[in-house]
Amino acid sequence: MSRRAASFAAYGLLGMPLAMAALPVYIQVPIYYTSQLGLSLSLTGFVLFAARIVDTVQDPWIGLWVDRLARRSRLGRALWVACLVLIIAFAGLWLAPVSGPLLAAWLAFALIIVYTAHSVLNIAYLAWGARLAPDTVGLTKAAGWREAFGLAGVVLASTLPAWLVNAADRSSQQSMGAYSIAFALLLALGVTALLHRAPPWLHAQLAENSASWRVCLANQPVRRLLPPYFLNALSVSVPATLALFFIADVLVEPHWSGYFLGTYFLAGAAGMPVWMKLATRLGPARAWRLGMILAIITFVWAATLGPGDRYPYLAICVLAGLSLGADLVLPPVLLARLIPDRQAPAAYYGLWSLLGKLALALSGLALPWLAILDYQPGEIGSGGHALAWTYGGLPCFLKLLALWRLRNFHDSNGEQTT
């Protein structure tokens, strides 16, 4: 491996622990607190929504703050503080010291702290990636390393907790405690690699004062990119929130959940080099559009599945997973190309993160919606049809809307999706 490639790999490493934290928080927390700790489905959904709204609102402010720290060369200390806070809060999320009526309050408190620390690290990380290379090829390579390590973290998050439970007959809390230790070690390693081995944050010393949200939104190509990005993020967030419920109560294959999720994310990793090559040849917007089309064609069939359909669902995981690389790599590259050289990037990624978090917040409302439709976790057949179509049909409709909004998108280099 060349020195340049090694520096890109050092940048990408932090993507692994950040993904190891994000996946359990967004996918496993709902079923963990309802099925393991006894919190009601509706209350869990509303707590998730409220905590995610707080997380959504604060991200633009965090972006402005990160820009100021970068200009003053104080970012490293802030990243280490955020690292320590995230390690403690993430462990506390799974090892809840309370029960009964206080459980909902603990969930809200732990989620907000996890979200805040994770946002500081993630926004700084994305902004760093937008300023570590002067050209599209370098930006795409950096994004590829970041998302490849991120997918590795997702695969670990999908399989490691289940393996810990089965290997040593641990309880769910014990297995998540062990998982939290592994996460802490990798997070510390990732921050160290970013600060001491990654390519430097280019032009930080030349950037103007942090761009305000008005400045970000006045950038017309950015403004046109945000709606399809939000709709696509929402199309990913809904099935992420409902995946384990779908596997347990529609497919009735809860013991296969690790295999399904692992297959999906491994397919995403396998497809990532293809999307990077397509982005170089066709442009990132056209390549992203093709990824959306592949996702719709394959994932819509999930709404038609029922008990025992493990192998058709496994095939869907492979094909839909291949499209995942496009969603992960290409939108951040598009945004990075649209940020003027003389403007600090973290404010843009704060706004970007706001939309992604808003999509996650709205997806939490799927739980009380399903409760209204008589679905109850663990009760096979209760609201299963509504769960299947909310999980498989709604995301495809949202992706179609994202495709429609992306049809006239122009990037800064004149690319148009047609």
Side-chain angles (χ1 to χ4, degrees), residues 148-161:
F149 274 109
L151 282 174
V154 163
V155 171
L156 284 175
S158 303
T159 57
L160 188 55

Side-chain angles (χ1 to χ4, degrees), residues 139-371:
L139 293 174
T140 303
K141 287 182 178 179
W145 279 105
R146 180 180 66 229
E147 301 306 335
F149 274 109
L151 282 174
V154 163
V155 171
L156 284 175
S158 303
T159 57
L160 188 55
W163 179 83
L164 288 169
V165 171
N166 296 328
D169 196 25
R170 294 183 175 93
S171 68
S172 295
Q173 284 191 323
Q174 290 173 326
S175 66
M176 291 309 297
Y179 178 85
S180 297
I181 294 173
F183 160 73
L185 295 174
L186 285 172
L187 183 61
L189 180 62
V191 172
T192 300
L194 179 69
L195 295 176
H196 300 289
R197 292 289 182 267
W201 184 322
L202 299 180
H203 310 309
Q205 71 277 13
L206 300 177
E208 298 171 353
N209 291 338
S210 297
S212 69
W213 309 324
R214 288 185 179 181
V215 171
C216 297
L217 293 174
N219 185 322
Q220 189 175 24
V222 169
R223 194 167 66 247
R224 289 180 176 175
L225 179 62
L226 294 180
Y229 168 71
F230 171 73
L231 289 167
N232 189 70
L234 189 57
S235 77
V236 174
S237 299
V238 170
T241 299
L242 300 179
L244 295 183
F245 296 101
F246 178 84
I247 293 168
D249 294 337
V250 173
L251 300 180
V252 198
E253 300 284 0
H255 297 298
W256 275 64
S257 59
Y259 297 107
F260 292 139
L261 294 176
T263 298
Y264 175 72
F265 292 116
L266 284 173
M272 195 173 295
V274 176
W275 296 114
M276 293 173 66
K277 289 182 179 179
L278 285 174
T280 301
R281 179 173 298 182
L282 303 176
R286 290 191 183 95
W288 187 26
R289 186 179 173 91
L290 290 176
M292 289 185 190
I293 293 172
L294 176 61
I296 293 168
I297 291 173
T298 56
F299 196 70
V300 69
W301 296 104
T304 67
L305 301 183
D309 286 336
R310 67 174 68 160
Y311 295 113
Y313 184 65
L314 199 62
I316 290 172
C317 289
V318 172
L319 295 174
L322 289 173
S323 71
L324 177 65
D327 284 338
L328 294 176
V329 173
L330 303 180
V333 171
L334 280 170
L335 179 61
R337 293 173 58 168
L338 301 177
I339 302 173
D341 288 340
R342 296 285 297 177
Q343 290 183 7
Y348 282 89
Y349 281 100
L351 182 62
W352 186 258
S353 184
L354 180 150
L355 292 179
K357 300 290 181 63
L358 179 59
L360 285 166
L362 292 174
S363 71
L365 295 179
L367 298 181
W369 163 251
L370 289 172

Side-chain angles (χ1 to χ4, degrees), residues 21 65 77-93 109-121 183-184 187 191:
W65 181 60
R77 183 180 300 176
L79 293 183
W80 277 118
V81 172
C83 173
L84 179 60
V85 171
L86 180 56
I87 287 171
I88 296 171
F90 184 77
L93 185 62
F109 172 75
L111 279 175
I112 290 172
I113 300 301
V114 166
Y115 287 152
T116 301
H118 191 278
S119 290
V120 171
L121 289 166
F183 160 73
L187 183 61
V191 172

Side-chain angles (χ1 to χ4, degrees), residues 4 131-136 138-139 202-203 341:
R4 180 173 172 81
R131 286 291 184 261
L132 54 68
D135 54 20
T136 300
L139 293 174
L202 299 180
H203 310 309
D341 288 340

